[in-house]
Amino acid sequence: MRYSLLAALVATQSSALSVHPLDTRDDLSTSPPVYPSPWMNPQAIGWEEAYEKAKDFVSQLTLTEKVNLTTGVGWQGEQCVGQVGSIPRLGFRSLCMQDSPLGVRFGDYASAFPSGQTVAASFDRDLFYRRGQAIGAEHKGKGVTVVLGPVAGPIGRTPEGGRNWEGFSPDPWLTGIAISETTKGIQDAGVIACAKHYIANEQEHFRQVGESNDRDYNITEALSSNIDDKTMHELYLWPFADVVRAGVGSIMCSYNQVNNSYACQNSKMLNGLLKGELGFQGFVMSDWQAQHTGVASAVAGLDMTMPGDTSFNSGLSFWGTNLTLAVINGTVPEYRIDDMAMRIMAAFFKVGLELEQPPINFDSWTLDTYGPLHYAAGEGYQQINWHVDVQEDHGALIREVAAKSTVLLKNNGALPLNKPKFLAVIGDDAGPGALGPNGCSDRGCNSGTLAMGWGSGTANYPYLITPIDALNIQGADDGTRIEAVLNNSASDTILSLVSQQDATALVFVNADSGEGYIAVDGNEGDRKNLTLWGNGDAIIKNVSSVCNNTIVIIHSVGPTLVTDWYDSPNITAIVWAGLPGQESGRSLVDVLYGKVNPAGRTPFTWGATREDYGADVLYEPNNGNGAPQQEFSEGVFIDYRSFDAKNATPIFEFGFGLSYTTFEYSDLVVEKKYPTEYTPTTGETAEAPEFGNFSTDLNDYLFPVDEFPYIWQYLYPYVNTSSSAEEASQDPDYGQTAEEFLPAGAIDSSAQPLYAAGPAADAESGGNSQLWDELYTITAQITNTGDIEGDEVPQVYLSLGGPDDPAVVLRGFDRITIQPGETIQFNASLARRDVSNWDTASQNWVISEYPKTVYVGPSSRKLTLSASLE
């Protein structure tokens, strides 16, 4: 035995029904139990062949082999950040789970891509896909099986959220498109995508008890995100529905609680919404140490525990041996372990993987060529890094993505640059960090130019071209005098330089954030405020006070407050370059010099004050020493929806971005389609499938000492001795039947009713397939009225018309290249889901009786064309 079965089972009883020792409040939100956990559907469109292959494979497995598929081997047990046990008998290599959503974390000779938030600014489906495909190809080349990305949680409820940059946008429609196209790209490269973090994982503060108490917060449970049903569907669940429909193989459940039940054992979120209503056919993986119980998480819908141990390097697991015993004694039904294995293997086969995989050729814990295969135990000395170069020509793609995602926020004719006489480059964000690009672990510092945030969502740079690098090369070609002051504290030197005649000042500033296990300058993952770091606002004001051609370049993880200086006449241009990755300098120079005509659109709103955003991070516990309670009382009104509701004027609105040319919109035409009437899904699933009986003789589950050695801290599905297993079986709760011990229906294997808003048995996943019926087509004419070629990003917004609806919501976009003087037709459509609201009474999507208006324009506040919908 590696952990007490009784402890795991007691945790089941106390947690599965969201019961927590929180006696300081009596109005805690609760999450209703939803059981049983739905089993895979062999008829789900797109999963049929993968299901059959998985069935053939899983039907051959023993119970311990199935448990091996579901349980991680422990932190630093092998080469990847997460691995499950192998099945040597069938030639099945361990699955390798590896960060990150912007490159191969810990890998050498791999690329550092622009962040998700940055590529979202391109509003370009093709770039979403190609970036995802390149990221997937690099992971595959390293031997990775599951890419831990892309990200839709956090969606970006608060602009200060530490990991917003890993995701895409606080708008669910944009995030839904971006995460779906990225996933398609990753999986077309032959690896499984893992969409994360599901769900309502919107801040770093209090996401984990240990992490929080290390900072003296003294809490006993992780933060609870308390969300109503309507908000859940219309905002936070929306992009996950899109990525499930796109065929994602895996979804990672998050650290936080949702309505006071942990996300990785919240049966409503996993069984009800994800696997039931959305019809998700892949597997649910826990975030690292996000599993808190054994049986509870199993029957609530968790399929794989990562990294397997109860806490890093404990050598204990809620699953492993305990899961084996739980199946043997009937607490976890046989169909549930079969379904876990089926889901994992179906995702594996769906992306084209074969049983004989190439070896993992890198190591997460050291870049040394030789070392211990089992790092935690220090055992298995061999070659662990082959230093395989997987970069291909991705540097060119990274440069293209970063340039096309750059947003021109202000331009008084200062840009594009054309062989300027004298450039004064100001700010440490323009240059290299003192320790090199990878000098701080997981990028956990802010030194030099900012091209990615910090935490597990990072990758090592193979190189980092800084802005000053690229500017110096361009300046040398042009004969431009360039001088740089890369010390933000050198105020006198800065002012002396920028006050010289003919100076064009390029001021580089930034704002950073990241994952909660790292704090930088008191920012515990989440940003403390929305001001620029390194005294950036003061530098901008000082420089612009003496230089009448000051151009500001911002590298940031989201919006910053620009209120005090953005409208100064001496500030002639403002550029947001996001987190551009390894080609930072060259992509920026491409835009500054007009080699790329900017067309990026801000994927979030730039407000005048922090308060304008409505929602904020909870920085101090508010429930005694219990679970901090974060009330999502703003509902769907985040970012631009909040600004519109408050009639607050943004500095730069969502979807805004300038170009070096100009465009005109005309001739909006809306055509109504006539699909069949929407009908709720009816019918039932099949009964839960099982793959045959298994032995209940505990001697059959003893550690096979004659086959391989025992590795310290490594997690196995076996029992150490039959007597220790027998002792576990004598626990006081063992005599209870599973029906008495678990929530009602938890082990029910009978046919279950399909969800009215869910897919039919022979339909695509993601929800009722009629939600994607086309109801309207939209066309408009876009003319380039300038003198140069440029990309335009027309956007479709919809007013749903109800008193509780946002003023407008994004419902379409495209990125179109238009020649000077040319007119191009913009085409979009509205699906049934686009014009619907979630009805809590019928638990379905409905089109309200309120009048609806469609708008087309270049941003959320510049809606040039409009038409009423029938």
Side-chain angles (χ1 to χ4, degrees):
M1 282 289 293
R2 313 302 306 282
Y3 193 73
S4 167
L5 178 62
L6 174 60
L9 295 181
V10 168
T12 300
Q13 211 167 24
S14 66
S15 298
L17 298 179
S18 306
V19 177
H20 296 281
L22 304 176
D23 53 6
T24 58
R25 294 181 54 181
D26 58 7
D27 60 342
L28 299 178
S29 297
T30 58
S31 189
V34 178
Y35 297 95
S37 185
W39 36 90
M40 276 199 77
N41 173 19
Q43 297 176 273
I45 291 178
W47 289 86
E48 304 97 329
E49 183 179 354
Y51 180 95
E52 288 302 319
K53 289 182 177 180
K55 183 179 179 181
D56 288 344
F57 182 79
V58 174
S59 63
Q60 303 176 59
L61 301 184
T62 65
L63 175 58
T64 52
E65 288 170 336
K66 294 171 189 174
V67 171
N68 233 18
L69 273 178
T70 68
T71 305
V73 300
W75 181 242
Q76 299 180 330
E78 291 192 54
Q79 293 164 277
C80 303
V81 295
Q83 286 180 242
V84 294
S86 60
I87 304 174
R89 181 176 64 89
L90 298 177
F92 185 75
R93 193 209 78 189
S94 173
L95 300 179
C96 168
M97 273 59 72
Q98 194 71 13
D99 301 301
S100 84
L102 57 66
V104 183
R105 186 187 183 198
F106 300 135
D108 57 2
Y109 303 99
S111 305
F113 288 81
S115 72
Q117 184 186 68
T118 302
V119 73
S122 73
F123 279 67
D124 190 322
R125 288 174 173 82
D126 179 60
L127 285 185
F128 299 160
Y129 176 85
R130 288 197 286 134
R131 171 181 172 273
Q133 189 176 45
I135 289 171
E138 295 206 3
H139 279 83
K140 187 174 181 64
K142 288 291 188 180
V144 174
T145 322
V146 182
V147 178
L148 301 178
V151 174
I155 197 172
R157 172 181 179 261
T158 68
E160 302 87 359
R163 301 180 76 176
N164 291 354
W165 57 272
E166 292 186 36
F168 297 101
S169 168
D171 180 82
W173 207 93
L174 174 56
T175 290
I177 297 298
I179 195 172
S180 298
E181 292 300 319
T182 303
T183 292
K184 291 175 186 176
I186 290 171
Q187 297 196 162
D188 283 353
V191 286
I192 302 167
C194 180
K196 61 183 189 180
H197 307 82
Y198 182 84
I199 194 169
N201 174 61
E202 295 296 321
Q203 66 172 59
E204 295 304 285
H205 280 74
F206 318 126
R207 66 181 188 146
Q208 295 186 88
V209 172
E211 183 177 279
S212 300
N213 291 346
D214 286 345
R215 293 174 176 148
D216 299 323
Y217 286 113
N218 189 30
I219 61 174
T220 58
E221 301 281 356
L223 173 131
S224 178
S225 299
N226 299 331
I227 307 178
D228 66 272
D229 187 36
K230 181 177 171 68
T231 298
M232 177 62 74
H233 280 83
E234 294 185 5
L235 182 55
Y236 297 99
L237 189 65
W238 184 288
F240 284 101
D242 285 321
V243 79
V244 168
R245 185 171 174 81
V248 68
S250 176
I251 287 181
M252 181 188 293
C253 53
S254 52
Y255 287 118
N256 57 287
Q257 299 187 74
V258 183
N259 296 334
N260 289 285
S261 178
Y262 280 101
C264 288
Q265 64 194 50
N266 188 313
S267 61
K268 171 66 175 177
M269 298 300 117
L270 301 182
N271 291 342
L273 297 184
L274 183 59
K275 293 183 175 181
E277 185 181 311
L278 298 187
F280 174 55
Q281 298 299 309
F283 64 97
V284 176
M285 172 199 304
S286 76
D287 204 340
W288 272 229
Q289 255 83 77
Q291 184 189 30
H292 296 272
T293 59
V295 175
S297 56
V299 296
L302 184 67
D303 301 303
M304 179 186 288
T305 174
M306 279 290 126
D309 33 18
T310 56
S311 59
F312 289 155
N313 303 118
S314 68
L316 307 174
S317 180
F318 288 115
W319 282 5
T321 300
N322 283 313
L323 185 54
T324 300
L325 290 169
V327 175
I328 290 171
N329 69 25
T331 317
V332 171
E334 182 186 355
Y335 74 77
R336 182 77 269 269
I337 188 69
D338 286 344
D339 186 61
M340 293 177 189
M342 279 290 295
R343 288 173 174 274
I344 293 167
M345 293 310 302
F348 178 90
F349 289 121
K350 189 177 191 299
V351 300
L353 288 165
E354 303 289 341
L355 293 183
E356 293 186 8
Q357 301 177 67
I360 300 162
N361 58 50
F362 74 104
D363 191 271
S364 297
W365 322 117
T366 177
L367 292 174
D368 293 343
T369 303
Y370 295 91
L373 177 66
H374 306 289
Y375 189 85
E379 295 189 30
Y381 190 85
Q382 62 180 57
Q383 184 171 356
I384 53 176
N385 279 307
W386 279 258
H387 312 290
V388 175
D389 191 335
V390 295
Q391 298 173 89
E392 300 182 13
D393 59 349
H394 296 155
L397 173 62
I398 291 167
R399 181 175 179 175
E400 178 187 0
V401 170
K404 288 184 174 179
S405 301
T406 299
V407 182
L408 182 60
L409 294 171
K410 178 181 179 179
N411 188 23
N412 290 348
L415 296 177
L417 298 173
N418 183 18
K419 297 183 177 181
K421 188 174 183 179
F422 170 31
L423 284 181
V425 181
I426 306 301
D428 61 13
D429 183 70
L435 301 178
N438 300 318
C440 297
S441 176
D442 286 337
R443 315 295 81 79
C445 62
N446 188 28
S447 176
T449 196
L450 182 65
M452 67 174 72
W454 73 72
S456 65
T458 59
N460 289 340
Y461 293 102
Y463 61 82
L464 176 56
I465 298 176
T466 69
I468 192 60
D469 293 336
L471 286 165
N472 276 329
I473 292 171
Q474 183 67 48
D477 290 344
D478 292 345
T480 296
R481 170 192 168 197
I482 295 183
E483 293 188 39
V485 180
L486 304 180
N487 183 338
N488 285 10
S489 300
S491 301
D492 292 342
T493 305
I494 290 172
L495 289 178
S496 174
L497 183 65
V498 301
S499 60
Q500 294 178 36
Q501 185 174 343
D502 299 321
T504 294
L506 300 181
V507 181
F508 286 82
V509 291
N510 67 38
D512 202 357
S513 71
E515 193 170 356
Y517 67 91
I518 295 174
V520 179
D521 193 26
N523 296 269
E524 297 171 350
D526 305 310
R527 282 191 282 171
K528 295 184 293 185
N529 50 53
L530 296 181
T531 58
L532 292 167
W533 288 32
N535 207 28
D537 295 291
I539 293 171
I540 292 169
K541 287 188 275 189
N542 289 340
V543 169
S544 61
S545 70
V546 298
C547 178
N548 64 4
N549 191 14
T550 299
I551 298 170
V552 177
I553 297 96
I554 302 172
H555 289 114
S556 74
V557 293
T560 64
L561 298 179
V562 301
T563 310
D564 292 345
W565 49 264
Y566 82 99
D567 58 350
S568 165
N570 285 353
I571 295 177
T572 53
I574 303 173
V575 175
W576 182 71
L579 302 176
Q582 68 192 43
E583 288 282 342
S584 174
R586 284 199 288 205
S587 62
L588 180 66
V589 165
D590 286 345
V591 172
L592 294 181
Y593 282 80
K595 301 171 190 176
V596 172
N597 190 346
R601 298 293 191 266
T602 176
F604 46 75
T605 301
W606 299 68
T609 69
R610 178 177 183 169
E611 292 72 25
D612 283 346
Y613 289 92
D616 207 332
V617 168
L618 179 68
Y619 291 98
E620 296 293 335
N622 62 352
N623 190 39
N625 67 348
Q629 302 290 306
Q630 178 65 288
E631 306 295 338
F632 285 48
S633 55
E634 71 284 346
V636 299
F637 292 93
I638 65 171
D639 200 73
Y640 71 89
R641 303 172 180 209
S642 174
F643 281 76
D644 291 346
K646 295 177 179 179
N647 199 27
T649 302
I651 303 296
F652 304 114
E653 71 269 20
F654 174 87
F656 172 79
L658 299 173
S659 169
Y660 296 150
T661 187
T662 55
F663 301 92
E664 286 186 357
Y665 288 61
S666 63
D667 300 329
L668 175 64
V669 176
V670 178
E671 181 180 352
K672 184 177 180 179
K673 301 295 183 179
Y674 295 90
T676 57
E677 184 178 353
Y678 181 76
T679 56
T681 298
T682 58
E684 291 186 334
T685 69
E687 293 183 356
E690 295 180 356
F691 297 121
N693 296 326
F694 53 88
S695 170
T696 57
D697 184 348
L698 294 176
N699 288 300
D700 292 338
Y701 299 97
L702 293 177
F703 190 96
V705 291
D706 296 334
E707 297 182 25
F708 47 80
Y710 172 82
I711 303 296
W712 181 64
Q713 288 192 0
Y714 201 90
L715 300 174
Y716 299 97
Y718 310 106
V719 298
N720 290 343
T721 66
S722 58
S723 60
S724 67
E726 186 67 26
E727 273 181 37
S729 298
Q730 301 306 314
D731 282 338
D733 292 303
Y734 182 72
Q736 292 179 299
T737 65
E739 288 84 354
E740 294 172 320
F741 187 78
L742 294 172
I747 63 170
D748 187 357
S749 62
S750 63
Q752 299 295 310
L754 297 172
Y755 283 69
D762 57 350
E764 288 182 273
S765 299
N768 190 313
S769 60
Q770 297 166 92
L771 293 171
W772 278 267
D773 287 345
E774 186 179 67
L775 265 59
Y776 300 92
T777 59
I778 299 163
T779 61
Q781 304 301 313
I782 316 292
T783 302
N784 184 342
T785 56
D787 298 326
I788 60 173
E789 175 191 288
D791 287 0
E792 179 61 345
V793 181
Q795 299 158 48
V796 177
Y797 291 84
L798 180 68
S799 169
L800 291 164
D804 299 322
D805 290 320
V808 292
V809 289
L810 181 70
R811 287 296 186 259
F813 62 81
D814 198 2
R815 182 169 178 139
I816 307 171
T817 301
I818 310 178
Q819 300 298 321
E822 183 183 22
T823 298
I824 294 287
Q825 181 169 287
F826 163 60
N827 299 285
S829 64
L830 293 175
R832 191 187 307 274
R833 185 175 71 142
D834 293 330
V835 300
S836 298
N837 291 95
W838 180 253
D839 179 55
T840 59
S842 65
Q843 287 293 288
N844 215 327
W845 295 92
V846 300
I847 300 176
S848 71
E849 61 186 10
Y850 300 108
K852 300 176 185 355
T853 305
V854 65
Y855 302 89
V856 174
S859 76
S860 63
R861 286 282 177 112
K862 190 176 181 183
L863 301 174
T864 310
L865 308 174
S866 65
S868 297
L869 299 183
E870 288 185 48

